[in-house]
Amino acid sequence: MKIVVIQGPNLNMLGVREQQVYGPMRLEQIHAQMKDVATQNGVEIEFYQSNLEGEIVDRIQECYGDADGIIINPAAYTHTSIAIRDAISAVNLPTIEVHISNIYRREEFRQKSMTAPACTSSVIGFGPFGYHLAMVGMMQILSEINAMRQAQAPAQQGAEEE
Ligand code: DQA
């Protein structure tokens, strides 16, 4: 089971940028905690951060046939990027959108997510803890998918044998 975590522009500045909004935790610390949870649960995890829209689209596309789920914070591209939304729809993997801040309590331009409708679910406004919630949520989604596949497998086998 493999989860890919994709971080958008300026999230490499966490711990430095607007601490009153995003808190003091650095991205590496957030990722270290996610890695611990993944290891404890026998899940493979990869992290990617980019400030460039096209690179994020490329990384999402690379998940096709390789990853089982995506956790993404598209950051400012959340509010503008049809390209990232289309990439999420294209790969059709369980995808959780994370926002550290509560975008619905902030400026009007942040209150619309272009990307969320393409995602399975969203975690918003829990601070960096939201990434942990997304990990737990993703593992739940993936185990439900697994259970469903296993339940279907014997039925399919039976049908083939008839
Ligand atoms: C953010 C919210 C966005 O509006 C902003 O541009 C970010 C971070 C969040 O995690 O709260 O860079 O995605």
Side-chain angles (χ1 to χ4, degrees), residues 9 11 17 22 73 75-76 78-79 98-101 103 106 110:
L11 293 172
R17 79 184 279 218
Y22 300 112
N73 184 345
T78 303
H79 317 296
V98 175
H99 294 289
I100 297 168
S101 64
I103 55 174
R106 300 185 64 193
R110 292 186 205 276

Side-chain angles (χ1 to χ4, degrees), residues 68-70 72 88-89 92-97 115-123 137-138 141-142 144-145:
D68 299 289
I70 299 172
I72 184 166
I88 295 168
S89 297
N92 196 26
L93 290 167
T95 299
I96 302 181
E97 179 164 309
T115 46
C119 296
T120 315
S121 40
S122 305
V123 179
M138 182 57 76
I141 290 169
L142 294 181
E144 280 172 21
I145 291 172

Side-chain angles (χ1 to χ4, degrees), residues 49-65:
Q49 190 278 328
S50 174
N51 295 325
L52 302 179
E53 185 176 20
E55 286 187 354
I56 295 169
V57 169
D58 283 344
R59 189 65 191 88
I60 294 167
Q61 288 184 8
E62 281 166 20
C63 290
Y64 182 70

Side-chain angles (χ1 to χ4, degrees), residues 24-128:
M25 249 177 121
R26 302 182 78 92
L27 195 62
E28 304 81 63
Q29 293 174 292
I30 293 172
H31 287 175
Q33 287 187 353
M34 295 174 90
K35 173 99 187 141
D36 281 349
V37 175
T39 307
Q40 281 157 20
N41 288 279
V43 172
E44 197 184 332
I45 192 159
E46 263 178 34
F47 302 99
Y48 181 77
Q49 190 278 328
S50 174
N51 295 325
L52 302 179
E53 185 176 20
E55 286 187 354
I56 295 169
V57 169
D58 283 344
R59 189 65 191 88
I60 294 167
Q61 288 184 8
E62 281 166 20
C63 290
Y64 182 70
D66 178 54
D68 299 289
I70 299 172
I71 294 174
I72 184 166
N73 184 345
Y77 289 135
T78 303
H79 317 296
T80 60
S81 182
I82 299 170
I84 291 175
R85 176 188 177 137
D86 285 351
I88 295 168
S89 297
V91 298
N92 196 26
L93 290 167
T95 299
I96 302 181
E97 179 164 309
V98 175
H99 294 289
I100 297 168
S101 64
N102 183 351
I103 55 174
Y104 299 109
R105 293 187 70 177
R106 300 185 64 193
E107 302 95 323
E108 211 180 323
F109 66 85
R110 292 186 205 276
Q111 291 175 18
K112 172 130 184 91
S113 173
M114 296 296 293
T115 46
C119 296
T120 315
S121 40
S122 305
V123 179
I124 295 170
F126 284 92

